[in-house]
Amino acid sequence: MLRIISLSEAQTFVTRKTVRLAEAEAVVAPILDAVRKRGDEAVLEYARKFDGFEGASLLVPTAESRVSPAFHAALDTAAKNIREYAALQLPRERWVDFPDGRRLGYIVRPLESMGAYIPAGRYPLPSTLLMTVIPAQVAGVRTICVTSPHPSAEILAAANFLGVDNIFRIGGAQAMAALAFGTATVPKVDRIVGPGNIYVAAAKKLLAGEVGIDFVAGPTEIVIIAEDADPRYIAADMLAQAEHDVEASSILLTTSRSLAESVVLEVARQLETLPTAPVACEAIRNNSAVILCPSVDAAVEASNQLAPEHLAIYDASLLPMIQHAGSVFVGPSSPEAAGDYATGPNHVLPTSGAARIRGGLSAADFVKVISVQELTSSALQKLAPAIMTLARAEGLEAHARSVEVRLGE
């Protein structure tokens, strides 16, 4: 079922396929327009049509959800680690006084509001609530909203654990529109984050500019680079990714045919007892492969071309060669699932090659770094010739004169 192919045959995997959103955009555009114009009325209409919503209010009452003590303990462990790592990512204010009289620096200010989209379809994801809300809290965002079409008890427990009150039972494009435009019930936010289906992705793409977004996400993916490793570990990591979605992709890049064959056998063996096999099988069959590479350097080059969401490397010495990846997992004791839940780094990551231009969601996504400059009169006098020459070269005379007037010329 899992194919073994050569690198020369693997161009469909190594050349990143463009996420096709045009059809989804055509579907969601009228929804966005309706919510912009009619607010809650339109949101309720679409929530009833697409999400089976039957209530009168979109706001979910805050109440303690019944979950196990073990789940609460897991929340506590994961939240602590996510919060610690998020704090490391925040830019810090800085000032430098230069000898020529320039005092330059930047101040850091949080966004005022954010919205987190939490999937709740086949697999409700309370972990995503932790990953999206905690960095915003660390950054100091005051208004935090959560939308989810069918929030599970675990999602509600996670929200309660983090002290989030603005929880709305909305999904799809209507949730994105409500957060972007604001309604009588749903606050307008500065940035929307979190994964979703193709309609959520299409809505975020169309709303970018109206509201900040993290990125337009496609199907989840993992690339593994290994020459000598336990095939059980590799197979388990490939299946962990494949069970997410029938469009998910799991790729092993290796120089070893014996490892390739062992992983193929191990994937088949583990699928026999995997409860999520119907989904995983399809992802393994259609979107996954073991790719035989002529060298480790060729494997790394192929991985950098893919710019995968998740990258697992069994040899730490390869890390300096890695240019593009959403998150990197190093060594046999670092399964991707650890990063999904509890190590601390964020699991909201760029897909479909977007890791070429950015990393995963972080606390830095929820702040603005604002430049500040202060000049002494002496500093301005020294810079004046350059400023005025450049201003006049551009035909902007008032710019030049705004300096001249301060020099008494």
Side-chain angles (χ1 to χ4, degrees), residues 79 82-83 85-87 89-90 110 114 127-141 144 162 193 344-348 361-367:
I82 295 165
R83 199 173 295 277
Y85 191 79
Q89 298 173 306
L90 273 181
M114 64 80 73
S127 59
T128 297
L129 192 144
L130 300 180
M131 294 286 182
T132 51
V133 168
I134 291 174
Q137 290 180 329
V138 169
V141 177
I144 293 177
L162 296 179
V193 301
N346 214 285
H347 79 199
V348 179
L361 188 69
S362 79
D365 284 300
F366 298 103
V367 298

Side-chain angles (χ1 to χ4, degrees), residues 265-352:
L265 291 174
E266 189 61 29
V267 166
R269 187 189 68 78
Q270 292 185 25
L271 275 169
E272 291 177 0
T273 58
L274 188 65
T276 53
V279 172
C281 275
E282 195 165 341
I284 289 293
R285 181 188 308 112
N286 296 330
N287 313 307
S288 305
V290 178
I291 300 176
L292 290 173
C293 300
S295 66
V296 174
D297 285 354
V300 172
E301 183 180 352
S303 175
N304 282 330
Q305 280 186 260
L306 278 165
E309 176 188 15
H310 307 95
L311 173 63
I313 56 175
Y314 279 75
D315 181 355
S317 70
L318 299 181
L319 194 57
M321 300 167 63
I322 303 304
Q323 294 295 322
H324 307 299
S327 189
V328 183
F329 302 80
V330 182
S333 298
S334 307
E336 183 272 329
D340 271 350
Y341 297 111
T343 51
N346 214 285
H347 79 199
V348 179
L349 300 168
T351 62
S352 305

